[in-house]
């Protein structure tokens, strides 16, 4: 058996912090089709969304540093323990981890960064009451106001996973380059 371990928002776009936009729908459609064409030797594990587990949904965009302050490292360790138990029990011959470019938790090589002292933490609760269009608009404003930057670091969960499971293959999915991301995934498989 071979195991594909994938960020849940790549398969179901409704986990995305603000709700899905077209690129999330397209990513989901393309990946589900791709996975459906894998051979019988492949199994798929979509682990629990760390951000959903910690904060719920919908939620304001936040950086790696903000999630660190909110206690994400402990939540991510629990999810990594779950993944580790599956690997121990199933003993797959090959493991491919797929994360999301820019994600504060599931970025593989690239995460979002900002100053956690300037973050408006009340926005996390406010997002629950906003409609989808308002959330998308407010998300853009927050990203701009907080000067989010992409940094060449893994997200919190993937930092833990790479330390625990260095023998795995790691692929970062870029929703702004779906075609290239699927090609990278094909190469890893």
């Amino acid at each position: 058996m071979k195991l594909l371990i994938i960020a849940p928002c790549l398969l179901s776009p409704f986990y995305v912090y603000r709700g899905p936009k077209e690129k999330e729908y397209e990513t989901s459609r393309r990946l589900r089709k791709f996975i459906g064409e894998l051979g019988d030797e492949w199994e798929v594990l979509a682990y629990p969304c760390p951000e959903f587990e910690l904060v719920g949904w919908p939620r304001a965009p936040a950086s790696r540093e903000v999630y660190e302050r909110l206690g994400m490292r402990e939540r991510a360790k629990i999810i990594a323990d779950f993944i580790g138990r599956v690997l121990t029990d199933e003993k797959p011959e090959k493991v491919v981890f797929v994360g999301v470019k820019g994600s504060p938790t599931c970025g593989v090589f690239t995460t979002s960064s900002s100053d956690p002292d300037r973050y408006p933490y009340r926005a996390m609760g406010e997002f629950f009451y906003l409609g989808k269009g308002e959330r998308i608009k407010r998300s853009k404003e927050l990203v701009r106001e907080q000067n989010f930057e992409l940094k060449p670091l893994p997200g919190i969960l993937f930092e833990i996973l790479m330390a625990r499971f260095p023998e795995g293959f790691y692929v970062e999915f870029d929703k702004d380059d779906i075609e290239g991301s699927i090609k990278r995934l094909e190469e890893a498989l």
Side-chain angles (χ1 to χ4, degrees), residues 1-172:
M1 184 231 311
K2 299 175 184 177
L3 187 59
L4 178 65
I5 300 175
I6 190 164
C9 65
L10 293 172
L11 298 177
S12 178
F14 305 103
Y15 280 109
V16 175
Y17 63 92
R18 56 163 149 62
K21 295 192 319 188
E22 188 52 43
K23 69 180 177 181
E24 282 86 22
Y25 287 123
E26 183 64 20
T27 294
S28 174
R29 284 191 290 267
R30 296 283 303 277
L31 275 173
R32 288 192 322 261
K33 182 176 189 262
F34 176 82
I35 288 169
E37 295 170 355
L38 291 177
D40 290 341
E41 72 274 10
W42 283 96
E43 294 295 333
V44 177
L45 168 61
Y47 54 82
C49 173
E51 295 167 25
F52 177 85
E53 291 281 313
L54 183 69
V55 181
W57 187 90
R59 58 194 172 273
S63 66
R64 176 188 160 111
E65 295 87 357
V66 169
Y67 273 112
E68 284 277 6
R69 283 231 178 129
L70 292 172
M72 179 57 78
R73 190 159 295 276
E74 290 308 310
R75 176 60 49 199
K77 286 178 183 175
I78 291 168
I79 293 169
D81 289 345
F82 163 63
I83 292 169
R85 183 60 189 257
V86 170
L87 295 176
T88 299
D89 287 353
E90 302 301 323
K91 299 174 182 37
E93 62 189 81
K94 183 173 187 176
V95 179
V96 176
F97 294 87
V98 183
V100 183
K101 182 178 182 178
S103 170
T105 56
C106 299
V108 181
F109 308 113
T110 312
T111 192
S112 61
S113 179
S114 71
D115 180 356
D117 292 329
R118 293 188 49 231
Y119 190 78
Y121 290 88
R122 72 189 179 292
M124 284 291 180
E126 292 169 357
F127 261 60
F128 183 78
Y129 299 99
L130 299 177
K132 184 176 179 179
E134 294 170 298
R135 288 193 310 266
I136 290 171
K137 180 180 181 236
R138 183 67 179 124
S139 293
K140 290 177 184 176
E141 292 169 1
L142 277 169
V143 168
R144 193 174 45 254
E145 291 167 8
Q146 295 302 305
N147 294 317
F148 281 18
E149 294 180 303
L150 292 179
K151 295 277 177 133
L153 295 168
I156 298 165
L157 174 61
F158 271 75
E159 178 182 287
I160 294 166
L161 293 174
M162 288 189 277
R164 286 192 191 180
F165 313 111
E167 67 283 356
F169 295 87
Y170 291 86
V171 177
E172 185 166 77

